[in-house]
Amino acid sequence: MFQFETQIHKLRHQVLTAIAKLGKEDDLTKEAIEKIPYEIIPGDKAIYRCCVYKERAVLLERAERIAGVKENGEIPNLDTAEIKEDEQIIYILESACDRCPINEFTVTDLCRGCLAHRCKEACNFGAITYVNGMAYINHDLCKACGMCKKACQYDAISEVVRPCKTVCPTSALGFDRDNMKAEINEKMCVNCGACMVACPFGAISDKSLIASVANKLVEEKNMYAVVAPAITGQVDPNITYGQIRNAIKKLGFVDMIEAACGADAVTAHESEEFAERMENGDQYMTNSCCPGFLDYVEKSFPKQVNKISHTVSPMIAAGRLIKKEDPDAKVVFVGPCTAKKSEAAKPMLKDAIDYVLTFEELMALFDAFDVDMAMCSNEEVDEASIFGRGFGAAGGLTKAIENYVTEKGIGVEFKPVKVSGAKEIKKAMSMANVGKVNGNFIEGMMCEGGCINGSGKFFSGSRSKNTFDKKNAQASKKSVMSNKEIKRFEDVNLDRLK
């Protein structure tokens, strides 16, 4: 049914689908889980790794972690399974980790054994000596500062950094020096999932409640889905919003609500908050819709936490709206973000969302329930503005606020700083930390390019961005204020701290 970008992508999908089927059939048992590796890799011939036994060991660990099997072998209760406050979402699959080399700087054969010894002179830690005329780095002394590499005129010193470590915005990725296995410093991790995407061995994954959701879709009759605007980039260009909604309803959901509708309400609330803060003399304010960015500020720039907007995210806004209109509803948010799983568990916000699934998990549900989006009927879906739907890409929130401030006639200058990805965010927040922010509103998106590149996406690349832009441009509501659906949020609490 789907085309997969990598073998890792395919294997993850196969295991997620298998666990979803067990949840659907209420057959999440140790015996059923142990069969999954043999169903995915039959026979005795290895396909991906050194041997079939290693492959199955990795698949079994992945299946057990997705199913939520505890260390003592206990199978979780599908009725009560949940993600708890401050629970770690991103984890290492020990059997899959390749124990990548960690000697970051190494002298290569390009070394000429020159007389200047600039690499040695540049090292402040005495880590470089000479053996048979060639430079040698003592990694017990090396601090990986990189000065030797900069000094070498022959570019004879190579830098090798683990992919997972390279992309981590908070340097939460480390390794066990005894066995070289990757480790996550949970106190610094923001659960953005960048390392999960970067690992070429598929050794990093995210906590999943797909089995519980699949089970609830069969057992419960009051399940609602809130779907992130980035969904339009995750399906075939010919699939419409209406077909997406009907495919989701075929899974057993009562209805699908656009998170983009909540984004319009959030835009109005956040714009008014921004104007009030500026009038009160604040230097700047940040957005609050990206949980990875929020956690990053809290952990890396704690002095700037008071500059974070108090407005809830579109996910929380939409979830609270559903529960206001149907107090017995169970709400599942579906999006490209792993950090949303931790956001939904925060004490002040957990009243809104019961479960969070990624797009990757949604596609596994479609397979598990034999739902083909292309075969679903179409209907008009028009509950959000073009700006609310634009939240899925970097700069989308800024455009929405600009539109609202202008149309509402709010007399406050709006000077946005739009940043996405760890490097841009670090630079912007570092400047803000010393009082030199080049604007009065920082839109920070932890994933480069915005939510469309979230770690829980199913499709990546330019194709998803083009489809996203094309579909969202078809929205009939061309301004935030033209969306009359915002009135439904009048009695909904949109303050993140209340």
Side-chain angles (χ1 to χ4, degrees):
M1 182 176 177
F2 298 110
Q3 291 184 336
F4 301 99
E5 296 178 351
T6 67
Q7 295 292 349
I8 293 171
H9 192 193
K10 180 180 179 180
L11 288 169
R12 282 172 57 89
H13 178 81
Q14 289 175 316
V15 177
L16 282 167
T17 301
I19 295 298
K21 286 180 178 179
L22 295 182
K24 170 189 170 186
E25 297 160 2
D26 199 17
D27 186 31
L28 194 67
T29 63
K30 180 181 179 181
E31 292 73 22
I33 293 171
E34 289 178 345
K35 290 179 182 178
I36 292 174
Y38 293 88
E39 293 169 352
I40 295 176
I41 304 179
D44 299 322
K45 186 177 181 180
I47 303 174
Y48 310 108
R49 295 178 182 266
C50 58
C51 67
V52 72
Y53 308 106
K54 173 73 170 179
E55 292 177 343
R56 287 180 182 146
V58 172
L59 287 181
L60 178 59
E61 184 182 359
R62 186 182 297 280
E64 289 178 336
R65 296 299 294 266
I66 291 173
V69 178
K70 299 179 182 179
E71 290 185 4
N72 62 4
E74 181 183 346
I75 304 296
N77 186 325
L78 295 179
D79 288 331
T80 59
E82 64 175 352
I83 291 177
K84 299 178 181 178
E85 177 190 357
D86 297 326
E87 185 171 353
Q88 180 64 20
I89 305 299
I90 305 299
Y91 60 84
I92 306 294
L93 285 169
E94 294 192 18
S95 60
C97 181
D98 196 56
R99 279 76 169 165
C100 303
I102 48 80
N103 293 335
E104 296 187 51
F105 292 93
T106 305
V107 179
T108 70
D109 291 340
L110 293 176
C111 178
R112 300 283 297 167
C114 64
L115 300 181
H117 292 179
R118 288 189 169 89
C119 58
K120 181 178 181 181
E121 298 301 324
C123 180
N124 293 320
F125 308 102
I128 296 182
T129 55
Y130 282 81
V131 178
N132 297 326
M134 306 290 282
Y136 170 78
I137 299 176
N138 182 340
H139 289 101
D140 291 331
L141 300 177
C142 177
K143 303 300 180 183
C145 66
M147 294 305 296
C148 58
K149 179 176 175 62
K150 292 179 181 179
C152 180
Q153 294 169 292
Y154 291 102
D155 196 23
I157 299 177
S158 68
E159 181 180 11
V160 179
V161 184
R162 293 186 176 197
C164 56
K165 184 178 179 180
T166 301
V167 300
C168 182
T170 58
S171 300
L173 259 295
F175 60 93
D176 186 310
R177 288 192 176 274
D178 291 330
N179 62 23
M180 306 279 281
K181 180 182 72 70
E183 291 183 332
I184 297 176
N185 180 348
E186 295 183 7
K187 291 183 179 180
M188 291 305 297
C189 178
V190 297
N191 290 307
C192 66
C195 56
M196 183 174 80
V197 177
C199 178
F201 290 93
I204 306 177
S205 194
D206 58 319
K207 184 176 177 65
S208 177
L209 293 179
I210 192 171
S212 292
V213 173
N215 186 261
K216 287 287 190 296
L217 287 171
V218 175
E219 301 294 333
E220 297 275 351
K221 303 300 179 186
N222 223 32
M223 301 280 284
Y224 290 79
V226 173
V227 180
I231 186 67
T232 51
Q234 298 296 300
V235 298
D236 187 274
N238 297 319
I239 301 294
T240 66
Y241 251 117
Q243 287 176 298
I244 295 171
R245 167 176 275 172
N246 283 321
I248 285 174
K249 290 168 73 173
K250 272 195 170 187
L251 290 173
F253 288 98
V254 174
D255 202 358
M256 180 201 92
I257 309 297
E258 286 190 70
C261 183
D264 284 330
V266 163
T267 297
H269 192 276
E270 195 158 77
S271 296
E272 300 290 349
E273 180 191 354
F274 167 77
E276 182 179 348
R277 284 192 181 222
M278 295 304 104
E279 290 170 355
N280 290 338
D282 279 16
Q283 183 186 11
Y284 77 98
M285 184 180 93
T286 80
N287 64 306
S288 57
C289 57
C290 174
F293 173 63
L294 262 65
D295 283 354
Y296 175 78
V297 175
E298 290 175 354
K299 294 179 178 183
S300 300
F301 296 93
K303 293 182 180 179
Q304 303 304 311
V305 168
N306 64 339
K307 297 298 191 295
I308 299 173
S309 168
H310 294 170
T311 303
V312 299
S313 68
M315 173 184 80
I316 300 298
R320 285 180 175 170
L321 173 67
I322 293 172
K323 295 208 171 189
K324 183 198 79 168
E325 297 179 344
D326 184 352
D328 296 324
K330 294 290 185 182
V331 183
V332 180
F333 176 77
V334 184
C337 179
T338 52
K340 285 290 183 185
K341 295 182 178 184
S342 57
E343 178 189 1
K346 293 185 181 298
M348 297 292 290
L349 305 174
K350 65 186 306 179
D351 63 304
I353 302 295
D354 297 285
Y355 301 95
V356 172
L357 296 180
T358 61
F359 288 145
E360 185 178 32
E361 290 169 317
L362 175 64
M363 300 307 173
L365 276 182
F366 283 147
D367 263 3
F369 281 73
D370 295 318
V371 174
D372 186 347
M373 283 181 284
M375 300 302 294
C376 292
S377 60
N378 187 27
E379 65 175 85
E380 184 178 6
V381 177
D382 195 29
E383 32 188 58
S385 77
I386 189 173
F387 291 99
R389 290 181 176 178
F391 263 56
L397 167 61
T398 293
K399 290 179 182 178
I401 294 179
E402 285 174 332
N403 172 261
Y404 183 86
V405 168
T406 300
E407 193 168 13
K408 187 77 180 290
I410 296 176
V412 175
E413 184 180 16
F414 181 60
K415 296 173 60 180
V417 177
K418 297 173 285 186
V419 289
S420 68
K423 290 182 180 179
E424 288 186 2
I425 285 176
K426 182 178 181 179
K427 180 179 179 180
M429 291 309 304
S430 295
M431 295 297 289
N433 205 40
V434 295
K436 295 183 179 181
V437 59
N438 189 30
N440 59 11
F441 182 84
I442 297 178
E443 179 198 305
M445 295 292 182
M446 185 53 66
C447 296
E448 190 171 342
C451 303
I452 54 174
N453 288 320
S455 57
K457 63 185 177 297
F458 193 74
F459 293 121
S460 60
S462 60
R463 191 193 87 163
S464 62
K465 179 63 165 61
N466 292 338
T467 306
F468 171 83
D469 289 339
K470 181 179 178 180
K471 285 201 170 92
N472 290 348
Q474 297 170 1
S476 65
K477 298 176 176 67
K478 302 300 182 182
S479 71
V480 175
M481 292 185 65
S482 69
N483 186 7
K484 304 307 179 187
E485 296 288 323
I486 292 178
K487 292 183 178 180
R488 296 169 64 189
F489 291 86
E490 288 180 351
D491 296 325
V492 175
N493 176 20
L494 298 181
D495 194 310
R496 189 168 53 87
L497 303 181
K498 291 182 181 178

